[in-house]
């Protein structure tokens, strides 16, 4: 059995070694999980100003949305550009390029292992949220959980491919991570992390939907929180962006490898 050209044995080895590696940094990962509480800060801000009704949400709906946004963010956060840049500058990329395994698969495995390590901390934070806001407690139905799980992984795939595009620029510049800000800023405002997209004016919402950002947080979070959402068109948009980004990353990667010059040790 092969997945994306990789045998099950290779996939298992990649994931187990990366998971063991991530466990060594579990305290740091716990701090990363805690640092992702921006949705809770925004919930506190919006609920105290009683503007949730203008979003079409009461306090309970607002709480469930931002908790869902927090959980989706925990399992779709991407940092490949920073790892790739460090490996490129330190010279670790050179042996990776000589191995019969695309380096990006190594980074995918490290992200998935980090998500598995982060899972208990995210659950603990969610339980704490419910203790502090007992009226917001809910249990999603099995279809909601399935579609939220699927859409979150698609969101992770889109975010990973977007950052891989920027990471591939390391073949041309030493600080491609600085260019990552060009993605982060629109991500922050258009993904639904700060406010549900239903709060946006209709013309802004139309423009936002032409970008991949609403499908990174807003779409999976709405599914998980039980808000009304167009599931078919949402998944269609996610698959469309993945189908655009995969060949784009592949082309840029091949162009970059042709001009790669080893750096560091």
């Amino acid at each position: 059995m092969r997945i994306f050209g990789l045998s099950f044995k290779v996939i298992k080895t990649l994931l187990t070694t990366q998971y063991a590696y991530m466990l060594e940094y579990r305290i740091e990962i716990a701090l990363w999980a805690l640092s992702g509480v921006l949705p809770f800060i925004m919930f506190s801000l919006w609920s105290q100003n009683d503007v949730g009704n203008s979003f079409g949400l009461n306090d309970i709906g607002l709480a469930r949305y931002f908790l869902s946004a927090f959980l989706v963010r925990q399992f779709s956060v991407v940092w490949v550009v920073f790892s790739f840049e460090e490996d490129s500058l330190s010279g670790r990329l050179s042996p990776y390029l000589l191995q019969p395994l695309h380096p990006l698969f190594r980074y995918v495995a490290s992200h998935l292992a980090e998500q598995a390590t982060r899972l208990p901390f995210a659950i603990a934070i969610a339980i704490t949220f419910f203790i502090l806001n007992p009226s917001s407690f809910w249990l999603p139905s099995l279809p909601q959980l399935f579609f939220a799980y699927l859409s979150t992984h698609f969101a992770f795939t889109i975010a990973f491919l977007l950052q891989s595009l920027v990471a591939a620029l390391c073949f041309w510049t030493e600080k491609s991570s600085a260019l990552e800000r060009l993605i982060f800023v629109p991500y922050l405002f258009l993904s639904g992390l700060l406010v549900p997209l239903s709060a946006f004016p209709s013309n802004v919402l139309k423009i936002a939907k032409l970008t991949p950002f609403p499908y990174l947080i807003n779409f999976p979070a709405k599914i998980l929180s039980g808000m009304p959402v167009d599931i078919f068109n949402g998944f269609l948009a996610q698959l469309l962006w993945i189908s655009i980004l995969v060949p784009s990353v592949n082309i840029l990667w091949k162009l970059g490898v042709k001009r790669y010059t080893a750096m560091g040790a």
Side-chain angles (χ1 to χ4, degrees), residues 32-193:
W32 288 351
L34 284 172
S35 68
V37 296
L38 178 61
F40 299 145
I41 296 173
M42 299 312 300
F43 164 64
S44 176
L45 176 66
W46 295 127
S47 60
Q48 288 185 12
N49 285 283
D50 198 27
V51 295
N53 290 333
S54 63
F55 305 159
L57 295 171
N58 55 25
D59 283 348
I60 293 177
L62 208 57
R64 291 176 177 176
Y65 172 81
F66 279 111
L67 175 60
S68 300
F70 166 77
L71 293 173
V72 171
R73 168 71 174 162
Q74 290 298 303
F75 299 102
S76 62
V77 67
V78 173
W79 31 267
V80 61
V81 64
F82 304 102
S83 295
F84 187 83
E85 181 181 278
E86 183 181 349
D87 289 343
S88 177
L89 294 178
S90 65
R92 285 196 295 267
L93 182 62
S94 299
Y96 292 168
L97 291 173
L98 295 175
Q99 296 174 1
L101 174 72
H102 199 297
L104 287 182
F105 283 124
R106 188 184 302 275
Y107 297 113
V108 170
S110 64
H111 279 73
L112 295 178
E114 192 267 346
Q115 290 174 12
T117 311
R118 185 187 288 248
L119 177 62
F121 304 117
I123 292 175
I125 292 173
I127 291 173
T128 304
F129 182 84
F130 284 135
I131 292 173
L132 297 175
N133 299 276
S135 60
S136 64
F137 180 78
W138 90 107
L139 287 176
S141 64
L142 286 178
Q144 280 179 332
L145 279 176
F146 172 74
F147 287 126
Y149 174 84
L150 194 62
S151 61
T152 300
H153 276 280
F154 283 161
F156 164 72
T157 304
I158 294 171
F160 186 88
L161 291 169
L162 276 173
Q163 268 208 11
S164 295
L165 269 179
V166 180
L169 297 177
C170 281
F171 292 117
W172 285 272
T173 176
E174 294 182 5
K175 295 296 291 181
S176 66
S177 62
L179 299 175
E180 193 269 344
R181 299 293 96 180
L182 297 176
I183 296 178
F184 181 72
V185 173
Y187 166 81
L188 199 60
F189 288 98
L190 300 179
S191 67
L193 195 63

